[in-house]
Each structure stands twice: as C-alpha cells, then as structure tokens.
Amino acid sequence: METLNYRFEQGTRRLAAAPEVVGVVGSGNLEVLIEPAALDGACTIEISTAAVGFGPIWEAVMRDFHARWALADTRISINDMGATPAVVSLRLDQAVQTMLGDAA
C-alpha cells in the first residue's frame, strides 16, 4: 500500500452538505469520502492505494480535478484498489455532484 497526500490552496467552492461516500473498494475500483473541513480555504486529498509507484499519474488526475472544481475547505479520502484514471475522475466528480445536489 502507498499513501499519497495533496493539498490545493485558494479554492473558491465550499461544500456545506454532510459527508458523502461514493464508490466501493473492490477489484479495480475505489471509494471516495468527501467532507467539509476547516482548512483555511484549501482542499486536501489523501489516497491509500494498492497500486504502488503511480504518484505522477495520481498527481495529474488530482490537479485536473482541482482545476474543474476548485474546492475550498474540503477533505477527500480515497481508498483505491487499482482504479484507472478515468474511474478516479468519475468517482471524484460523482462525490462533488452528490454533495452539490441540483446546484452542480
């Protein structure tokens, strides 16, 4: 297992809903927990992954996610069992859209 941590500053979109979990940890999939947190306008992402050595790919996917959503005061935890970058992006977008409801 590998743990990766990312922090993105100066987000502009805050989520006020209760924490949400999307996805299921299983073969080739992942689980995302997203929750509001007092982080001085930052968004933190912690990834626990079974796919060791893919840090640059994870970083690219996380930067792309932050560029799309610019979340502020948000903590995201990801438990991964080998999901592809497309599935990671899908689950992250799904988590944000679930919290935003119709406002997405």
Side-chain angles (χ1 to χ4, degrees):
M1 292 296 288
E2 182 173 21
T3 300
L4 305 168
N5 290 286
Y6 301 96
R7 182 178 176 103
F8 298 97
E9 303 291 342
Q10 301 175 342
T12 57
R13 182 179 288 187
R14 285 176 172 73
L15 304 174
E20 290 282 345
V21 175
V22 297
V24 177
V25 176
S27 178
N29 210 324
L30 76 157
E31 170 186 80
V32 174
L33 167 64
I34 185 169
E35 58 191 327
L39 297 169
D40 295 323
C43 174
T44 63
I45 304 170
E46 180 178 274
I47 302 160
S48 296
T49 179
V52 176
F54 291 90
I57 294 170
W58 277 106
E59 183 174 356
V61 172
M62 295 305 105
R63 287 188 182 284
D64 180 64
F65 168 75
H66 180 68
R68 280 195 312 278
W69 293 103
L71 296 178
D73 294 324
T74 304
R75 180 177 17 251
I76 299 172
S77 302
I78 299 173
N79 294 315
D80 172 57
M81 292 302 280
T84 65
V87 171
V88 173
S89 291
L90 173 76
R91 288 286 179 244
L92 285 167
D93 289 347
Q94 181 184 22
V96 173
Q97 290 169 345
T98 298
M99 288 193 77
L100 292 174
D102 292 333

